[in-house]
Amino acid sequence: MDRTGAEPTTSFADLLEAVAQRRDKQAFAALFSHFAPRVKAYLRRMGADDSLAEELAQDCLLTVWRRAHLFDRRQAGVSTWIFTIARNKRVDALRRERWPNVDPDDPSSLTDKSANADSVIEAAQREGRLREAVETLPQEQATLLRMAYFDEKSHSAIAAELELPLGTVKSRLRLALGRLKTCLEDIR
Amino acid sequence: MAPHAPPEEMLVDYAAGNLAEPLALLVATHASLNRESRREVQLLESVGGAMLETLPPAEMSDGALDSVLAQMDDTDAGGDGDGASSSMVGEAAPPSGGSAPTQVQNDGVPAPLRPYVGSDLHALPWRERGGSVAEYRFLDGRNGYRTRLMRIRAGCKVPSHTHRGCEYTLVIEGGFSDTQGDYFPGDVAVADADVTHQPVAWPDRDCICLTVLDAPVRMTGPMGRILNLFVDF
Ligand SMILES: [Zn+2]
Ligand SMILES: [Zn+2]
């Protein structure tokens, strides 16, 4: 199960930090060649036509360049960070709505430092582990996750499309997420 | 899951970007106030990141990279207000241990809510709804949702009511109790047609909540509309 070490997940974070600290364009180009085609695929899948998906994918990577200094490798893997940027752009462009973001350290809540301390090193590792877990999910669970994440389908829409009771959809989804969480537990 | 959190599938829909703006706002605000849900959302966003990696890449046009590189130089001032932050993208606190939080003097309106209602809830143009309840509506009519802040005077009751669709109530300030429990800041109460309740604000201070009523298109006929006026709190 130790494919994670061979995956370039950790070096994505290094590349992004090189962009943040040195405005390193070569590092950026490497990130671009990996992520732009995936972000574009995501946007196509969410219903953007080819030219809009292309434009938004470029815009998304430009945002990566501009906001690299906000990336915190202790909190998120690079794929995750870029996924949230792409998600927000998608909502903004395709739905014309603003996406309200969670405040990672809201002053009115307790400071989250202690909570983060135990996940400091693992964000990239966690992401690699999750990817493996997602790839090995049983077909029916993977299908549900794809529909939720890539087809903009609410749970009731998924249920209708798969002709399943809503309760079944919810419990399968919970099962899938439970499985993913279990895969993460041993690196906590 | 935190005891008074939105249902997990709502957190999934948040992470995936599948909630209408009013509910996305409610979840983001809740997660900003609730560590457990915040971590849950982060995890669910990581699932999104992992899923992104499983997609077969689409081909970019020739010159895509150059076109992005060209745009960097003229706009490299940073701070483009792109709305690209996320639960994981905030300015990181310095990793020093034990330093006191520096941002405490903030008035306490959670960050996701501020663009909608500002940072002084008491200065809003509250509209009295009779008795002890006042409201401030915004995002009005968006996708059939009704979004507002509700203010219940300290120690006062909201009239007993049931619900047409699903009602999500997030405590921002103060707190209330009803038959389902006690709700503190950050807590979410979910009530639907099966629930009749009469929230009572705690005696020490006014309770301010963000309330999203999810009653999409089920308003059948004029009678439904009239009933709805009485039904919602
Ligand atoms: Zn409900
Ligand atoms: Zn109610």
Side-chain angles (χ1 to χ4, degrees):
Chain A
M1 278 294 267
D2 200 10
R3 239 180 52 208
T4 37
E7 296 281 331
T9 317
T10 23
S11 67
F12 285 149
D14 294 338
L15 290 169
L16 196 44
E17 282 183 0
V19 170
Q21 287 157 15
R22 301 192 300 278
R23 308 312 272 156
D24 182 333
K25 289 191 178 170
Q26 255 173 338
F28 178 78
L31 289 169
F32 188 95
S33 74
H34 181 83
F35 285 106
R38 286 172 172 81
V39 169
K40 183 174 176 179
Y42 167 71
L43 295 160
R44 292 283 287 130
R45 174 115 194 203
M46 299 301 307
D49 66 20
D50 189 77
S51 72
L52 181 59
E54 171 82 24
E55 181 193 323
L56 291 174
Q58 290 188 22
D59 190 34
C60 184
L61 272 289
L62 187 60
T63 299
V64 169
W65 170 263
R66 288 176 182 161
R67 304 204 142 215
H69 62 288
L70 296 178
F71 173 72
D72 178 1
R73 72 192 303 160
R74 297 167 307 153
Q75 290 205 44
V78 176
S79 305
T80 300
W81 189 66
I82 292 179
F83 168 75
T84 61
I85 293 173
R87 173 197 66 191
N88 295 6
K89 293 248 183 254
R90 186 264 289 180
V91 171
D92 185 56
L94 303 185
R95 258 189 5 220
R96 307 202 178 286
E97 286 190 359
R98 169 164 40 180
W99 192 254
N101 288 298
V102 177
D103 185 350
D105 34 36
D106 194 276
S108 38
S109 67
L110 293 169
T111 162
D112 224 9
K113 277 175 207 154
S114 57
N116 282 336
D118 60 66
S119 55
V120 165
I121 330 115
E122 297 94 337
Q125 205 187 342
R126 210 162 45 202
E127 195 169 78
R129 195 69 73 93
L130 259 181
R131 194 178 341 151
E132 283 179 7
V134 162
E135 280 163 1
T136 55
L137 279 178
Q139 193 53 43
E140 54 174 34
Q141 293 174 17
T143 303
L144 285 189
L145 273 190
R146 269 199 300 276
M147 290 175 90
Y149 279 85
F150 296 145
D151 294 342
E152 198 168 12
K153 291 265 201 286
S154 71
H155 297 77
S156 40
I158 292 176
E161 192 169 320
L162 299 180
E163 296 180 340
L164 290 170
L166 186 57
T168 307
V169 168
K170 286 184 182 177
S171 62
R172 269 190 205 169
L173 203 75
R174 272 192 201 125
L175 224 54
L177 295 171
R179 242 180 115 104
L180 299 182
K181 282 179 202 169
T182 311
C183 292
L184 296 180
E185 260 156 25
D186 45 328
I187 54 169
R188 279 255 160 100
Chain B
M1 299 279 289
H4 293 307
E8 179 161 38
E9 57 267 18
M10 226 172 133
L11 301 185
V12 175
D13 284 338
Y14 176 84
N18 295 344
L19 290 177
E21 190 172 351
L23 287 178
L25 173 63
L26 185 120
V27 171
T29 307
H30 160 74
S32 298
L33 294 167
N34 182 297
R35 177 190 294 181
E36 204 176 321
S37 290
R38 185 159 60 246
R39 298 189 77 182
E40 185 74 18
V41 167
Q42 287 181 339
L43 173 87
L44 293 167
E45 288 177 339
S46 312
V47 173
M51 300 282 292
L52 183 67
E53 293 290 339
T54 67
L55 278 177
E59 201 177 332
M60 295 295 287
S61 67
D62 295 337
L65 175 60
D66 288 338
S67 138
V68 172
L69 289 171
Q71 291 175 73
M72 286 173 178
D73 300 316
D74 38 280
T75 49
D76 219 328
D80 58 338
D82 243 335
S85 71
S86 84
S87 56
M88 339 195 116
V89 194
E91 297 275 4
S96 60
S99 63
T102 49
Q103 331 89 312
V104 163
Q105 73 277 49
N106 192 292
D107 46 51
V109 178
L113 196 54
R114 265 176 247 149
Y116 298 88
V117 302
S119 50
D120 183 1
L121 299 185
H122 300 273
L124 288 171
W126 291 94
R127 227 178 51 184
E128 297 296 334
R129 287 293 306 267
S132 49
V133 180
E135 69 173 14
Y136 172 72
R137 291 193 187 193
F138 60 104
L139 277 176
D140 229 12
R142 193 70 63 94
N143 296 333
Y145 292 87
R146 177 172 293 174
T147 312
R148 55 199 155 158
L149 292 176
M150 304 286 311
R151 187 189 64 204
I152 315 165
R153 286 285 173 214
C156 292
K157 284 178 188 155
V158 171
S160 180
H161 64 279
T162 182
H163 314 88
R164 164 173 302 275
C166 222
E167 176 194 70
Y168 301 88
T169 303
L170 165 67
V171 179
I172 307 294
E173 268 185 39
F176 71 84
S177 304
D178 69 8
T179 44
Q180 302 189 88
D182 300 323
Y183 295 86
F184 294 81
D187 284 349
V188 173
V190 185
D192 58 20
D194 299 335
V195 175
T196 301
H197 67 165
Q198 183 168 35
V200 182
W202 295 346
D204 54 324
R205 66 184 296 188
D206 292 356
C207 173
I208 295 179
C209 301
L210 170 63
T211 296
V212 179
L213 189 67
D214 159 5
V217 237
R218 241 176 279 151
M219 307 173 129
T220 42
M223 206 42 207
R225 235 164 259 280
I226 291 163
L227 280 176
N228 205 38
L229 280 179
F230 293 102
V231 158
D232 56 46
F233 112 61

